[in-house]
């Protein structure tokens, strides 16, 4: 499970637009937008998460692990 804000956070940190991230992983910008808003129709699959992490140059575990602070903020 990932939280949509994590993807948006790392994308912003890298200075990458939704359009650029979408291009890097060969999806439409609307897919990234829906994922980041938590409105993606399907669960974000492992291949999609791996692709996003690779495009953001981060370890995929950063998208699926949560600190205690993040748990308190996002998962409750």
């Amino acid at each position: 499970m990932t939280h949509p804000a994590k993807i948006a956070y790392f994308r912003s940190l890298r200075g990458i637009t939704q359009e650029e991230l979408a291009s890097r992983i060969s999806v439409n910008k609307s897919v990234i937008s829906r994922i980041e808003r938590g409105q993606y129709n399907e669960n974000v699959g492992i291949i999609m998460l791996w692709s996003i992490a690779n495009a953001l140059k981060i370890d995929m575990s950063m998208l699926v692990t949560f600190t205690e602070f993040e748990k308190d903020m996002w998962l409750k």
Side-chain angles (χ1 to χ4, degrees):
M1 174 182 174
T2 188
H3 191 280
K6 287 193 110 174
I7 294 170
Y9 169 76
F10 285 112
R11 180 183 58 73
S12 295
L13 194 64
R14 296 282 190 242
I16 299 170
T17 65
Q18 286 182 343
E19 188 171 349
E20 186 177 353
L21 179 57
S23 175
R24 288 182 184 191
I25 66 169
S26 301
V27 298
N28 190 294
K29 177 187 172 280
S30 68
V31 171
I32 300 301
S33 177
R34 287 192 322 258
I35 289 171
E36 289 185 359
R37 289 190 325 258
Q39 297 177 343
Y40 193 61
N41 292 347
E42 307 164 18
N43 289 328
V44 180
I46 192 87
I47 299 299
M48 176 82 72
L49 285 176
W50 180 85
S51 296
I52 290 169
N54 189 44
L56 296 173
K57 299 185 183 345
I58 60 173
D59 190 281
M60 189 173 77
S61 67
M62 296 177 81
L63 296 176
V64 296
T65 58
F66 298 88
T67 64
E68 288 304 314
F69 175 77
E70 290 171 330
K71 287 177 188 176
D72 288 342
M73 185 171 65
W74 289 332
L75 300 179
K76 289 186 179 181

